[in-house]
Amino acid sequence: MNKWDERYGSSEDFILGSEPHEFLRRIQNRLPTQGRALDLATGEGRNGVFLAQCGLQAEGADTSAVGIAKARKLAALKGVDFVAQVADITEMAMPSETYAVISMVYCHFAEPVRSRLAQKIVNALAAGGLFVGVFYHPEQAALAKGTRDVSILADLPALQTAFAGLEWLAAEHYCDGEGEDRKSVICLLGQKAV
């Protein structure tokens, strides 16, 4: 059992809730209402299910079988179709020029995996397709929540370089919250050229 199976299996409830990350909700008006969407590291499915609610033909992938089972449950609760599979997102096939939207929230990799996966994502986007990414900034390693492994975290310029080939519609770094809930976050919305 991997650490995510343990985390997602620790409660019948949705550990991260059933609503999407606030950045997805904030940019909802920029999302297409048709086409294919892929939510990488979907976990319990809150972001991928949201993409399905937006009208997209949504799929998700995650290494946690427990998370995927809960994602399917969430899709049923919300009344949407969401195809979720257990997969290693760094190794899975992503067909070229296919997706209208690819999202990835709080999923981090050290180099060279980060850049290799980022370019795989850019290649998998259809012309005009959107990448929505939310990442912890390296400052997060010193804060109470999130990873302590700074080697898997990247700052805004490094992430923009990794995802070369996208035009940045939004690229922001901000700190939010107080005390143990303080977060240092990077949010990206990039578009592939038409």
Side-chain angles (χ1 to χ4, degrees), residues 27-47:
I27 55 105
Q28 180 178 359
N29 64 337
R30 293 181 153 186
L31 297 175
T33 56
Q34 60 184 0
R36 288 178 69 182
L38 175 62
D39 184 42
L40 297 171
T42 199
E44 297 171 309
R46 67 187 182 128
N47 299 308

Side-chain angles (χ1 to χ4, degrees), residues 38-194:
L38 175 62
D39 184 42
L40 297 171
T42 199
E44 297 171 309
R46 67 187 182 128
N47 299 308
V49 167
F50 175 73
L51 293 174
Q53 289 177 295
C54 290
L56 293 155
Q57 186 182 356
E59 23 185 300
D62 197 279
T63 58
S64 171
V66 175
I68 291 298
K70 289 175 89 173
R72 291 175 179 146
K73 177 182 169 184
L74 181 61
L77 288 170
K78 299 272 186 172
V80 294
D81 291 328
F82 180 59
V83 178
Q85 65 170 322
V86 177
D88 176 345
I89 67 169
T90 63
E91 299 296 327
M92 67 182 264
M94 288 185 223
S96 299
E97 307 282 324
T98 299
Y99 296 99
V101 177
I102 298 178
S103 58
M104 188 164 76
V105 176
Y106 295 133
C107 180
H108 306 90
F109 296 98
E111 288 294 0
V113 176
R114 178 190 308 125
S115 289
R116 195 165 46 241
L117 177 59
Q119 285 307 298
K120 195 171 168 179
I121 289 168
V122 171
N123 184 54
L125 286 170
L130 298 174
F131 170 70
V132 183
V134 179
F135 304 92
Y136 283 126
H137 185 276
E139 294 171 348
Q140 190 69 29
L143 300 175
K145 287 191 175 175
T147 183
R148 300 261 182 256
D149 183 358
V150 74
S151 72
I152 66 170
L153 303 178
D155 62 13
L156 183 55
L159 285 168
Q160 288 177 293
T161 298
F163 286 94
L166 298 179
E167 175 189 343
W168 299 108
L169 306 177
E172 56 193 46
H173 168 224
Y174 65 91
C175 291
D176 187 27
E178 300 281 326
E180 288 190 7
D181 291 327
R182 187 152 176 78
K183 293 185 280 190
S184 182
V185 178
I186 293 171
C187 295
L188 297 173
L189 177 62
Q191 185 170 39
K192 189 170 181 178
V194 177

